[in-house]
C-alpha cells in the first residue's frame, strides 16, 4: 500500500504540526502570531498599502469582545484573541468558499482550535455563551472591515453581518500595518492576557 499523504507542516519554531491530529505540544504562540500576521483578510481585497491581516483582525475582535463584556475573565478574552488561530496553518477562507469546501474545513478548524485552546490553558471546547459573545464581536469586526476597507456599502454590510447598534463602532480603528508590527502586537497581547490568568 502507498504511504499515507504527508499531513504535517514544519513551523519556523522547528515544530512539526500534524494538521489531522494536532497536539498542544506542537503549538507555539510565535508560530501562530507569525502565520496570522502574513494571512490577509478578505483574500487581500482591501484598500491600503498593507493587507489587513488575521492578526490585526484578532486583536480587534478581542478589543470588541472586551468592550462588550467588560467583566469577562482574561481566559475568555484570550479565547477571543485566539478565535481564528487555526488560520495560521489553514489560511483564511471567505465564508462562501468555506461553504463550498464543506464540513471538512470545519472539522479541521475544530481539531486545531481544541489543541490551541489546551496549549494555552483553555477548555478544548468553549462554553456556548462565550462562543456566542466572540461571534458577535467577530461580526462587528467584519462589518467594520467590510465598510471601511473592503468596499461594501453600509446596507450591504448590514445584510451580511448585521446592523451595528448606534455607537457600537465608536473609537474602533483598523490597523493596516507591516506584518512584523502586527506579529509583535499579537504576541504582546497574548503575553499580557496569559499573565492575567
Amino acid at each position: 500500500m502507498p504511504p499515507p499523504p504527508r499531513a504535517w507542516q514544519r513551523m519556523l519554531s522547528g515544530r512539526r504540526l500534524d494538521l489531522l491530529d494536532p497536539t498542544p505540544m506542537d503549538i507555539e504562540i510565535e508560530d501562530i502570531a507569525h502565520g496570522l500576521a502574513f494571512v490577509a483578510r478578505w483574500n487581500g481585497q482591501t484598500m491600503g498599502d498593507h493587507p489587513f491581516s488575521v492578526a490585526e483582525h484578532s486583536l480587534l475582535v478581542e478589543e470588541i469582545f472586551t468592550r462588550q463584556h467588560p467583566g469577562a475573565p482574561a481566559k475568555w478574552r484570550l479565547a477571543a484573541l485566539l478565535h481564528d488561530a487555526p488560520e495560521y496553518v489553514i489560511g483564511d477562507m471567505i465564508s462562501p468558499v468555506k461553504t463550498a469546501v464543506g464540513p471538512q474545513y470545519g472539522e479541521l478548524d475544530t481539531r486545531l482550535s481544541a489543541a490551541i485552546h489546551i496549549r494555552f490553558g483553555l477548555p478544548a471546547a468553549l462554553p456556548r455563551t462565550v462562543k456566542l459573545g466572540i461571534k458577535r464581536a467577530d461580526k462587528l469586526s467584519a462589518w467594520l472591515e467590510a465598510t471601511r476597507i473592503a468596499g461594501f456599502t453600509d446596507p450591504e454590510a448590514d445584510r451580511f453581518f448585521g446592523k451595528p447598534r448606534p455607537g457600537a463602532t465608536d473609537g474602533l480603528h483598523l490597523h493596516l500595518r507591516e506584518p512584523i508590527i502586527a506579529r509583535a502586537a499579537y504576541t504582546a497581547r497574548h503575553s499580557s492576557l496569559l499573565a492575567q490568568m
Side-chain angles (χ1 to χ4, degrees):
M1 292 185 80
R6 178 173 72 89
W8 57 266
Q9 179 176 346
R10 186 185 187 283
M11 300 293 144
L12 287 177
S13 64
R15 299 282 190 190
R16 287 187 179 192
L17 181 66
D18 185 333
L19 302 178
L20 301 179
D21 187 23
T23 65
M25 294 288 293
D26 291 323
I27 292 166
E28 299 292 345
I29 194 58
E30 292 79 13
D31 293 330
I32 292 172
H34 183 82
L36 295 184
F38 282 89
V39 175
R41 293 268 295 166
W42 306 94
N43 284 338
Q45 297 301 305
T46 52
M47 300 169 206
D49 294 331
H50 298 287
F52 187 69
S53 71
V54 176
E56 297 287 11
H57 164 75
S58 298
L59 287 160
L60 181 59
V61 169
E62 190 266 325
E63 180 184 353
I64 294 168
F65 178 81
T66 299
R67 274 186 181 201
Q68 293 174 341
H69 306 274
K75 66 180 179 178
W76 301 143
R77 290 182 278 139
L78 178 61
L81 181 71
L82 295 170
H83 80 283
D84 277 341
E87 294 178 8
Y88 85 109
V89 286
I90 60 175
D92 181 31
M93 285 193 229
I94 59 173
S95 296
V97 175
K98 287 179 185 175
T99 301
V101 169
Q104 292 85 357
Y105 179 89
E107 292 164 11
L108 189 60
D109 184 85
T110 299
R111 282 194 298 271
L112 283 163
S113 288
I116 290 165
H117 288 166
I118 292 167
R119 171 68 176 87
F120 299 114
L122 300 171
L126 299 177
R128 186 173 179 276
T129 54
V130 173
K131 204 167 182 177
L132 288 173
I134 293 170
K135 189 66 184 168
R136 276 192 299 276
D138 192 31
K139 282 191 170 192
L140 181 56
S141 179
W143 186 94
L144 195 62
E145 296 164 32
T147 57
R148 301 266 174 92
I149 59 172
F152 285 59
T153 63
D154 286 12
E156 195 176 21
D158 292 348
R159 193 166 62 250
F160 291 116
F161 309 110
K163 185 173 183 171
R165 292 187 326 273
T169 62
D170 291 354
L172 294 174
H173 301 285
L174 301 179
H175 300 286
L176 285 82
R177 304 181 282 191
E178 294 178 41
I180 191 170
I181 298 170
R183 180 180 66 198
Y186 188 94
T187 305
R189 187 61 185 149
H190 178 267
S191 295
S192 172
L193 289 168
L194 269 188
Q196 296 172 48
M197 287 172 60

